[in-house]
Amino acid sequence: MRLPALLALMGIRATGSFQLQAVASAAPALVAGLGLSYAELGLLMGAFMVSGIFVAVPAGLLARRIGDRAVLLGGLVLMAGGGVLAGLAGSFVLLLAARVLSGVGGVAVLMLVIKMTTDRFSGPMLSTATSMVIVTWPAGMAASLLVMGPLAASGADGWRWVFALSGLPALVALLLVPLVGQPQATQAGGAHRAVPPAPRWPMVAAASLCWALLNAAIAVMAGFLPGYLIAHGSAPAPAASFASLASWAFAAATPFGGLVADRLTGRAAAVMAGAVATAGLFAAVVASGGAGVVVILLGVSFALSPGALTAQVGEATPPSARAAVFGWYSGGSYLGLAIAPWMAGALRDASGSAAAPLLFGAALMLGLLPAYVWFRRSVSR
């Protein structure tokens, strides 16, 4: 496994989740300063990803034409620019537009990093490599909560600094792009051997639905767990730090989740077990009132599914089609990430219960089970 390329891909992908989580980090300040509802907060969370529904596939096709690196560099620049504009926004509408702009760059970056990882590490350890890249998603979220939460609470304009600085890691990541290396086929000087048959669209649709449900549940956990803890008596800054434990646990456990899938249980069992465990632990967080050990276990439970699922999609897709297929696959997750936070926020507004979003997260993970069965059947046909 080529460590420099892997570390570079990990660092680049972390920029997306760091910027995505800016809304959750600044949520109390946005409610107090701009008078936003929780549904509007959910829209701001989802706005970063909503462009992915329309951008992911064209970005994949553009990368195939002009190269992965060129699109990756452009995406990072858009992320940084959108963050600055969000910090200067004077209304909800302008803030929403700035988040969409950041998201155009962010979705291209997130999609391409997964595709580039599959190109460089295909083989028996693909779940492990993919898991190590995916781990940067919760790590970026946790770092954002840890750093940006106190910054948002520092004063009346704290939320502006949160958004303005949320794009700074993307600027730093520009320096990592030259380190990502070349795909395995390019280094070998020839085409991939034993190219599998072209995937069927039902497989792509099923994989995209699975990825959408999984990422939607992660977004609900990261976006609404701090609010649940605040509703149970915690101050905003400590709640953000405490909620970050779930994301840190997810980050720490995800590489081991990939190893478990590759070496012990098999990838199918890892996906199914992860879905059931995560649904149960969402409910356990509510039942326990946010007990620390349960919050940590919730993060750990998310670690089993992502790498195993993504590795199966990569293996079922010919190398020449991966840019387009991972565009659709990522687009599915962006649909979930765009809609789920708004739905979770609307559920909280309608019910008046801070637990409603977390129970919604449990339902999303249970929905992953039939979607994954559909995916497996589509692959085997």
Side-chain angles (χ1 to χ4, degrees):
M1 188 176 291
R2 292 168 294 151
L3 188 59
L6 184 62
L7 292 176
L9 290 166
M10 291 171 67
I12 293 168
R13 193 169 191 269
T15 63
S17 56
F18 186 90
Q19 189 167 51
L20 172 67
Q21 195 65 6
V23 174
S25 301
L30 289 169
V31 171
L34 292 181
L36 302 186
S37 69
Y38 285 99
E40 287 173 326
L41 284 177
L43 280 175
L44 286 177
M45 293 176 192
F48 186 84
M49 291 300 187
V50 72
S51 59
I53 303 168
F54 310 102
V55 171
V57 174
L61 296 175
L62 181 63
R64 185 175 179 181
R65 177 176 291 273
I66 68 173
D68 294 341
R69 294 191 188 197
V71 178
L72 198 62
L73 289 168
L76 291 168
V77 171
L78 286 176
M79 289 173 65
V84 172
L85 291 176
L88 297 173
S91 69
F92 172 73
V93 172
L94 293 177
L95 184 56
L96 188 65
R99 289 286 287 175
V100 171
L101 179 63
S102 293
V104 170
V107 297
V109 169
L110 295 172
M111 179 273 294
L112 280 172
V113 169
I114 292 294
K115 182 260 182 188
M116 293 166 77
T117 302
T118 303
D119 287 344
R120 286 154 177 76
F121 299 98
S122 58
M125 294 299 288
L126 179 58
S127 288
T128 304
T130 303
S131 293
M132 293 183 72
V133 170
I134 289 173
V135 77
T136 60
W137 180 261
M141 286 182 169
S144 184
L145 282 170
L146 197 62
V147 174
M148 298 300 197
L151 180 60
S154 64
D157 289 330
W159 66 269
R160 294 186 180 277
W161 285 106
V162 166
F163 285 113
L165 296 178
S166 67
L168 181 61
L171 285 179
V172 176
L174 291 171
L175 302 176
L176 299 178
V177 174
L179 303 179
V180 299
Q182 298 295 328
Q184 288 181 346
T186 300
Q187 290 182 330
H192 287 264
R193 298 188 182 96
V195 175
R200 296 181 178 181
W201 285 112
M203 184 277 288
V204 177
S208 300
L209 178 59
C210 290
W211 198 231
L213 291 166
L214 178 58
N215 281 277
I218 294 170
V220 168
M221 175 191 74
F224 291 91
L225 184 55
Y228 177 80
L229 297 173
I230 291 170
H232 280 71
S234 178
S241 298
F242 187 66
S244 73
L245 291 176
S247 294
W248 284 120
F250 179 18
T254 295
F256 298 100
L259 283 171
V260 167
D262 280 334
R263 300 296 192 186
L264 297 177
T265 65
R267 292 168 183 170
V271 173
M272 301 287 277
V276 172
T278 304
L281 283 161
F282 262 121
V285 169
V286 173
S288 67
V293 65
V294 183
V295 168
I296 292 171
L297 288 174
L298 174 63
V300 171
S301 69
F302 270 112
L304 282 173
S305 301
L309 176 61
T310 303
Q312 290 174 78
V313 176
E315 288 185 334
T317 305
S320 60
R322 282 177 184 155
V325 169
F326 274 111
W328 286 105
Y329 181 64
S330 299
S333 76
Y334 303 146
L335 179 62
L337 287 166
I339 294 175
W342 171 78
M343 293 180 66
L347 283 171
R348 174 163 182 175
D349 286 337
S351 66
S353 171
L358 301 184
L359 296 177
F360 176 57
L364 290 169
M365 290 305 294
L366 290 177
L368 176 59
L369 296 173
Y372 182 68
V373 171
W374 178 28
F375 167 74
R376 293 287 295 179
R377 289 179 177 176
S378 299
V379 170
S380 63
R381 288 175 182 170

